[in-house]
Amino acid sequence: MIAAWRGLQRFALSLAGRIALILAIGISCAAIAALFVADQVRQADYQRWRGEQVVLSAIDVAGRLERNRQGTLDLLRDRGLIGVRLIPPGVAFPGTPDQAHTDMARGRAPAGMALALFKVAPSVCISNEPFWKQPRVAGFKFPISPECWLLTVDSNGETVRISVDMPRLAAPPSPITQPLFLVLIIAASTLLSILVASIAMAPIRRLAAASRAFARSIDADPVPERGPEDVRQALATFNTMQERVREGLRERTRLLAAISHDLQTPLTRLRLRLEQVEDAALRERLVTDLSATLAMVRRGLDLARSSESAEQWSVIDLDSMLSAMVEDAAEFGHAVRFAGGCGARVRVKPDALSRCLGNVIDNAIRYAGGADLACRRDAGGVIVSVRDHGPGMSEDLIARAFEPFVRGEGQDTTLGTGIGLTIAQAQARASGGELTLRNHPEGGLLVELRLAR
């Protein structure tokens, strides 16, 4: 539950979450607005239909009067026609008729007849019969008041006044007033928005993943250029940037290699000349300094080359590699032990990974006399650990340990050049991993390499 809640929080704070929220609100508002407009149109159609029924009733009565005036009057007096009856004398009519309905009725009335329709209060149309004798409608407990219209028909100088009763039936309720319907609209809009946002953010997620991979390894694979035109352009630009960064690093390596190669000849000549120095003690010191210079030049070139690798990616059995490295170290009499495996298979650059771990193990042997290798799994991938039993490092030195030419206080400068861990970190990143250092609670230094499973 906690993991799901944290995942929801991350989604809400992401760009995809914001897009989904905007889309959900927009789609919901648009759907509700469309339903409101449709409901207004439906209500207007319903009222227009009711008005047309009033007009049809008025035309029907007018036609009957035209065909059989006396018979129709007798039928109206005897309540023989449902919904229409004669208005008794003395009932006052409104001053002006309903113009829209009157015009519709006159356009369809028989020739020579003048019709007028008036909308009045329901009390004018209700009969004077007692309450309990008034007709009832099935499904209604009490009599319902009709919508009342008064009709005047002028023909041959005589005026007939008639009431037209339209049942007062309410239109069906609007869907926008139903809470469940609104909940369904919002839920459907939210799901659709999340789906659309996820699809829209897929190229950005691929670009972010490629950026992380490029940050870990300079030889990361290019991003597939798929999607809309602007997305493809952005991905193509990113791929171009990757290639130019790699080319810049390769150019730097070539430059350093050329410098190193050019230095070899004068340094070799200098060594030969130093051998001619007669003072043995001075000669020994000069040759030692020159050897250290040559080693530093070679290690500097190794450092430059460590950040790039043309090696292909492979899936390997991690336990087998660690066991092999332990056996190789044991053959030279080093106290290196395989403390435990994890049975993991990882996608790495094998040579880069081997060089990375080799540098770390060499450091542990050089400064602590031995090391324990192990690996374990966690939620993020696989962690390879190399622990020694030496004095460890100060926290300030740990923070700077991966910087080139950084040494611990009091370390013998003849043991190395101070770039072993720098090269190891570069090789780790070339293989898609990351090195970290910390002092072990029980003593010694613990170096951990995290790899994707």
Side-chain angles (χ1 to χ4, degrees):
M1 180 63 72
I2 296 177
W5 173 249
R6 289 177 178 174
L8 183 61
Q9 284 182 321
R10 287 194 298 270
F11 179 77
L13 295 176
S14 66
L15 180 59
R18 296 183 181 183
I19 292 175
L21 177 61
I22 295 172
L23 284 176
I25 294 175
I27 293 174
S28 298
C29 291
I32 293 174
L35 285 175
F36 177 78
V37 172
D39 183 66
Q40 295 300 311
V41 173
R42 184 173 63 102
Q43 294 286 351
D45 289 342
Y46 177 71
Q47 295 300 328
R48 183 169 57 253
W49 175 83
R50 288 180 60 82
E52 290 178 352
Q53 301 308 307
V54 173
V55 172
L56 291 175
S57 297
I59 294 172
D60 180 68
V61 173
R64 291 174 181 270
L65 289 172
E66 175 71 17
R67 293 189 298 272
N68 184 3
R69 184 182 184 85
Q70 189 58 44
T72 301
L73 292 175
D74 293 339
L75 196 62
L76 292 172
R77 291 190 188 95
D78 297 337
R79 306 295 296 275
L81 291 176
I82 297 176
V84 292
R85 61 185 177 85
L86 288 174
I87 297 296
V91 176
F93 272 42
T96 56
D98 186 292
Q99 194 62 44
H101 291 80
T102 299
D103 292 342
M104 291 173 61
R106 286 177 178 175
R108 304 180 188 180
M113 282 193 169
L115 306 181
L117 281 166
F118 303 81
K119 188 173 183 179
V120 296
S123 58
V124 177
C125 299
I126 295 176
S127 65
N128 296 323
E129 295 176 349
F131 173 83
W132 58 87
K133 291 186 178 181
Q134 294 183 17
R136 287 167 170 75
V137 178
F140 293 88
K141 186 175 181 181
F142 301 100
I144 58 174
S145 300
E147 182 178 316
C148 185
W149 292 82
L150 298 182
L151 170 65
T152 60
V153 181
D154 296 331
S155 178
N156 299 324
E158 297 182 6
T159 301
V160 179
R161 305 196 307 173
I162 304 168
S163 72
V164 179
D165 302 339
M166 289 296 296
R168 190 183 294 275
L169 300 177
S174 172
I176 61 175
T177 61
Q178 305 295 322
L180 180 60
F181 200 78
L182 295 178
V183 170
L184 290 176
I185 288 178
I186 294 174
S189 301
T190 301
L191 292 176
L192 179 61
S193 301
I194 293 174
L195 177 62
V196 171
S198 299
I199 294 174
M201 291 300 297
I204 296 181
R205 286 195 296 270
R206 286 194 286 118
L207 183 59
S211 300
R212 289 192 296 270
F214 185 60
R216 291 192 300 266
S217 173
I218 197 66
D219 293 314
D221 295 332
V223 189
E225 298 174 13
R226 301 192 302 266
E229 178 62 26
D230 48 353
V231 173
R232 291 200 302 272
Q233 290 179 1
L235 296 178
T237 303
F238 180 81
N239 289 334
T240 303
M241 180 201 69
Q242 286 191 107
E243 184 56 35
R244 289 185 177 178
V245 170
R246 281 193 289 266
E247 182 60 31
L249 290 175
R250 285 193 289 266
E251 183 64 28
R252 183 195 68 176
T253 303
R254 287 193 293 267
L255 178 61
L256 290 175
I259 295 174
S260 176
H261 179 269
D262 292 343
L263 284 175
Q264 295 290 333
T265 300
L267 288 175
T268 302
R269 289 200 303 266
L270 183 58
R271 183 184 180 92
L272 293 174
R273 291 171 182 173
L274 289 176
E275 294 291 344
Q276 301 174 6
V277 175
E278 296 181 356
D279 188 335
L282 177 60
R283 182 175 63 248
E284 182 66 25
R285 289 197 301 269
L286 291 175
V287 170
T288 300
D289 290 342
L290 182 60
S291 298
T293 303
L294 284 170
M296 188 172 295
V297 170
R298 286 193 293 267
R299 295 290 281 177
L301 182 59
D302 289 341
L303 176 61
R305 288 173 173 170
S306 63
S307 59
E308 61 169 328
S309 173
E311 184 184 4
Q312 297 298 316
W313 292 87
S314 301
V315 177
I316 65 168
D317 186 299
L318 189 58
D319 289 353
S320 298
M321 171 177 277
L322 296 180
S323 299
M325 297 186 73
V326 170
E327 292 173 0
D328 291 343
E331 289 181 0
F332 291 94
H334 300 308
V336 179
R337 185 172 64 94
F338 187 33
C342 54
R345 294 176 63 81
V346 291
R347 182 177 181 268
V348 295
K349 294 185 175 182
D351 185 57
L353 179 60
S354 177
R355 292 178 62 191
C356 168
L357 294 176
N359 274 285
V360 175
I361 294 172
D362 288 345
N363 271 4
I365 294 172
R366 183 179 296 118
Y367 298 112
D372 293 340
L373 270 69
C375 72
R376 70 180 188 275
R377 299 169 183 258
D378 70 355
V382 178
I383 297 176
V384 180
S385 61
V386 180
R387 180 197 172 190
D388 63 43
H389 298 275
M393 290 184 180
S394 65
E395 294 299 325
D396 178 64
L397 185 58
I398 287 177
R400 301 182 297 110
F402 292 115
E403 297 177 8
F405 309 109
V406 172
R407 296 174 178 273
E409 295 180 359
Q411 288 185 355
D412 186 356
T413 57
T414 63
L415 293 179
T417 56
I419 60 174
L421 287 177
T422 308
I423 294 175
Q425 180 71 286
Q427 293 294 333
R429 289 174 176 172
S431 193
E434 187 73 19
L435 278 179
T436 57
L437 290 178
R438 61 186 174 92
N439 288 314
H440 196 277
E442 298 178 3
L445 187 68
L446 179 64
V447 183
E448 292 184 330
L449 169 63
R450 178 178 292 274
L451 297 169
R453 187 178 307 173

